[in-house]
Amino acid sequence: MTRQFLISRMQSIGLQPWNNTFQHPFEYDYQFDTRQGVNIIGVLNATQTTQDWRVVVAHYDHLGKKGSRLYPGADDNASGIAAMLAMAAHASTQPRPVNILFVATDAEEPGLFGGKALVDQLKLEQSNPNSTQIELTVNLDMVGHPGRPYSIYVEGRRNFTQFDAIQQRLEQTVGLCVRANHPPEAGRTTQRVDWLRASDHYPFHQAQIPWLYFGVPPHADYHQPTDSANKLDYNFLAAVAESAYELLIIDSYLLKK
C-alpha cells in the first residue's frame, strides 16, 4: 500500500519513472534469509539539458508490527518522505538547473539495503545518472520532531570546502537554525551514534558521492510505538523541507570540493 501511494503521489506531482518504472526491486540477505525490497524512484529533468544530477533520499520502511506492538514511524521516517515529496512538488513548478532523482528507499532499518542497492545501480557505467554525474545527495531521515535547541542537524560538512556558505544559505531561507553536527545523546557521554553509518547517506559516502544528511537527534519516541503523527512539529517539518530545497537550486560551484 505504501509503495502504491508513493507511486501515485509521484505521478500526480509530475515525476517520470526511472528506467521506465517507478519500482527498483532488489534482494538482500538478512537473518539467514533472502528478502525482497523495492525502492520507489521518480525523476525531474532539468529545465535545460545538462548531465548534472542531484539526489534526494528518504527511507519509507520502519519497524512495522512486532507482536501486539505497532510502530507508526511518524518521525522515522514518514517525516523524511513528506519532506521529500514536498520538495518534489515545488521543484516540479520551478526552473531546475540540474536533473533530480527522488528516491524512497526500502530496507533501511535492517541495514541500509535500499541505499546500497541504489548506489550499486548508479555505479554501473551505463546507468543514467552515473555516480560520477551526481553533485550531491540529500538524505532526509527524522526531520519532524525537534528537540532543544530548536534546530535541524546536518552531517556531511567535510564533503564541501564552502560549507559555511551553504549553511548560511539554508538558514536564510526561513530562519531555521542549521547545526553542522548532531550532539551526543542525552545521558550518554561515552557511547555516541555513528552518524556517518546511521542512515542511507553512508552507501553514497562509500561510493565517494557528496552527501548531506538532515535529521534530529534520537528522542524518547525514537523506535517506539509512541512515534506517532501527533508528536510531529509540522511547522518545523515544513521549514526543513524549504531549507533542504535550496540544495536543489544552489549554485554548483558551492558544491565543489
Side-chain angles (χ1 to χ4, degrees), residues 21-92:
T21 177
F22 285 102
Q23 301 195 52
H24 173 237
F26 60 92
E27 291 185 344
Y28 63 99
D29 296 327
Y30 183 69
Q31 295 183 343
F32 305 103
D33 191 18
T34 299
R35 299 187 179 186
Q36 181 84 17
V38 181
N39 295 330
I40 307 299
I41 307 176
V43 178
L44 273 180
N45 289 317
T47 307
Q48 297 182 351
T49 302
T50 177
Q51 297 301 308
D52 296 329
W53 287 78
R54 297 178 194 175
V55 181
V56 183
V57 175
H59 75 89
Y60 72 89
D61 67 303
H62 191 51
L63 305 181
K65 192 173 183 180
K66 296 184 177 181
S68 61
R69 291 165 67 88
L70 175 66
Y71 296 80
D75 193 31
D76 185 16
N77 183 38
S79 66
I81 289 291
M84 181 186 72
L85 292 174
M87 292 165 65
H90 188 64
S92 69

Side-chain angles (χ1 to χ4, degrees), residues 216-229:
V216 299
H219 44 72
D221 300 305
Y222 171 64
H223 280 189
Q224 298 299 318
T226 53
D227 185 13
S228 52

Side-chain angles (χ1 to χ4, degrees), residues 157-171:
R157 66 177 303 159
R158 293 181 181 178
N159 295 314
F160 308 98
T161 56
Q162 299 195 68
F163 180 81
D164 289 346
I166 295 172
Q167 182 179 6
Q168 183 179 27
R169 172 78 173 266
L170 298 181
E171 289 187 324

Side-chain angles (χ1 to χ4, degrees), residues 71-143:
Y71 296 80
D75 193 31
D76 185 16
N77 183 38
S79 66
I81 289 291
M84 181 186 72
L85 292 174
M87 292 165 65
H90 188 64
S92 69
T93 67
Q94 302 297 313
R96 296 177 295 277
V98 297
N99 306 298
I100 311 170
L101 209 62
F102 292 94
V103 186
T105 55
D106 195 4
E108 188 269 355
E109 295 288 359
L112 315 183
F113 293 109
K116 292 174 182 176
L118 172 62
V119 170
D120 285 345
Q121 179 73 28
L122 295 173
K123 287 164 63 177
L124 298 176
E125 186 176 352
Q126 68 272 24
S127 177
N128 183 36
N130 182 278
S131 59
T132 60
Q133 297 173 299
I134 299 173
E135 297 181 327
L136 172 68
T137 294
V138 178
N139 181 27
L140 304 162
D141 191 353
M142 293 176 57
V143 293

